Amino acid sequence: MRHGRILLLAAAVCAAALIVSSGCSGRSHRLMGRRIIVLGFDGLDFNLTRDLMARGRMPHFREVAGRGGFGPLGTSVPPQSPVAWSSFITGLDPGGHSIFDFIHRDPATMTPYLSTARTEPPRHFISLGKWQLPLTAGRVELLRKGRAFWDVLEDNGIETTIVRMPANFPPSGDATRELSGMGTPDLLGTYGTFSFYTSDPFAMDGPVAGGTIYPVEVRDGVVRAALQGPDNPLLKGDAKVRADLIAHIDPSQTFAKIVVGDEERLLRVGEWSDWVPVRFELAWGAIEAECRFYLKQLHPEFVLYASPLNLDPLAPALPVSSPRTYAAELARATGRFYTQGMPEDT
């Protein structure tokens, strides 16, 4: 970024990892050569990096810089992550790839929507009282225009794997393997909405910046609450799906057992859980998700944080990878992981 002016609206934590490997068995020809790994760090300031390298704080970066080049880069106008990454992907400016911000607005209603993707519900239903049964599937559309560079590589026989690339949700499907990154929503369709459960009588009830506070009561050492999911797609109107959340508090006030469906986690105060699968039951079938819990406090008040509901990589409700099985392959190999496009809890 020129003179270190990195003006990103997002917190700079999302990274895109692009792996370009030689060879492709399904192509008309095969290119042989060295494998190349490209790592992209969102918000990596040139001046700060240079100073840390000079102070010996980033020896590996310094070694890499010594082997090649190191200098400031210009950015997009406006200098925002989805805009800049879309330019990186396509080689086009915003007028070419049509991404101008984190959000855009419907000119007819001024309703905001995520700039890089649009979700359209099924168009045709059978109506049965309060129920609506879809006859067609909904779809998620990638709004970024232009041709991705990995599409050109694939056409020339170079197999590509694109991991957590921003502005690539849903995955383009043009690479051999893709996992979407920044721009991937949580289960509620937002960039990340947390839940905060507390028995503090002075705590605010309702939405706050980035999430929702839910007041709870401790009765005989038990807290009963619910994880709030999206609207039930089979019901008319606004009807949120819910998953019961129960916390059993140990008399020592140092542990609590968190129960969600068939899942149980024993947490010490100040401890995070692993990824907990969450199943939102519908009349037919279910919506799968995952979240993590942080037990902040048990005395004098109960305080429990629940991360945004991420799409479950083992059974994603929306397309997060290409082929669709790739996210599940990664989860089976390494365990569940963040699918939300900005993997941070604030």
Side-chain angles (χ1 to χ4, degrees):
M1 299 299 180
R2 189 170 292 115
H3 307 302
R5 289 163 38 190
I6 303 177
L7 307 177
L8 301 177
L9 293 187
V13 321
C14 180
L18 172 120
I19 304 174
V20 183
S21 59
S22 64
C24 181
S25 58
R27 301 291 171 174
S28 58
H29 59 286
R30 183 183 181 92
L31 297 180
M32 302 301 294
R34 298 168 61 186
R35 293 180 178 179
I36 299 174
I37 298 176
V38 179
L39 300 178
F41 298 90
D42 189 294
L44 186 63
D45 182 85
F46 169 72
N47 288 330
L48 178 61
T49 305
R50 180 188 58 187
D51 293 344
L52 291 173
M53 288 166 54
R55 290 158 53 189
R57 297 284 299 277
M58 302 180 74
H60 300 299
F61 266 67
R62 186 173 182 176
E63 180 182 355
V64 172
R67 295 180 181 179
F70 179 73
L73 295 175
T75 186
S76 59
V77 178
Q80 297 178 2
S81 294
V83 185
W85 284 107
S86 295
S87 294
F88 170 75
I89 292 169
T90 64
L92 303 174
D93 63 17
H97 56 62
S98 298
I99 306 300
F100 296 90
D101 204 330
F102 278 90
I103 61 171
H104 289 170
R105 290 186 181 273
D106 184 332
T109 63
M110 297 304 291
T111 302
Y113 61 90
L114 304 185
S115 63
T116 54
R118 175 171 52 218
T119 301
E120 295 185 358
R123 294 185 178 183
H124 303 288
F125 296 87
I126 293 179
S127 181
L128 297 172
K130 67 178 182 178
W131 301 99
Q132 54 180 11
L133 307 181
L135 297 177
T136 58
R139 71 188 188 99
V140 184
E141 178 185 4
L142 177 63
L143 299 180
R144 190 193 72 238
K145 309 300 182 185
R147 193 180 187 195
F149 65 84
W150 56 81
D151 187 18
V152 180
L153 293 173
E154 293 277 356
D155 278 353
N156 286 275
I158 302 175
E159 185 178 292
T160 56
T161 298
I162 310 298
V163 179
R164 294 199 64 79
M165 176 66 74
N168 193 45
F169 171 81
S172 68
D174 297 324
T176 302
R177 289 168 294 273
E178 296 177 54
L179 181 69
S180 62
M182 181 186 295
T184 307
D186 62 11
L187 192 68
L188 302 182
T190 71
Y191 276 131
T193 301
F194 65 78
S195 299
F196 193 76
Y197 304 90
T198 178
S199 62
D200 184 350
F202 299 103
M204 182 185 301
D205 177 11
V208 293
T212 304
I213 296 177
Y214 296 98
V216 297
E217 295 182 1
V218 180
R219 295 184 177 180
D220 299 326
V222 178
V223 174
R224 298 184 182 275
L227 292 167
Q228 303 287 340
D231 289 334
N232 189 328
L234 302 180
L235 287 173
K236 298 177 182 177
D238 297 331
K240 305 292 184 185
V241 293
R242 296 160 48 95
D244 290 338
L245 169 63
I246 304 172
H248 300 272
I249 300 174
D250 186 80
S252 68
Q253 301 287 325
T254 56
F255 295 91
K257 182 172 71 172
I258 309 300
V259 181
V260 180
D262 296 332
E263 299 291 330
E264 297 182 354
R265 299 293 189 276
L266 186 64
L267 295 182
R268 184 192 298 269
V269 171
E271 185 178 16
W272 281 92
S273 75
D274 60 350
W275 284 106
V276 179
V278 181
R279 182 177 174 89
F280 293 98
E281 297 288 348
L282 307 175
W284 299 274
I287 301 175
E288 307 287 347
E290 62 176 8
C291 73
R292 297 179 68 203
F293 295 97
Y294 177 73
L295 185 60
K296 180 175 175 62
Q297 174 179 308
L298 290 176
H299 180 78
E301 302 295 341
F302 175 86
V303 182
L304 177 69
Y305 172 89
S307 73
L309 292 164
N310 279 229
L311 302 168
D312 186 347
L314 289 171
L318 294 173
V320 296
S321 68
S322 176
R324 293 183 68 93
T325 57
Y326 182 50
E329 291 173 9
L330 292 174
R332 284 192 291 268
T334 66
R336 283 185 164 86
F337 53 84
Y338 276 99
T339 55
Q340 175 192 330
M342 300 183 70
E344 59 184 348
D345 292 281
T346 59

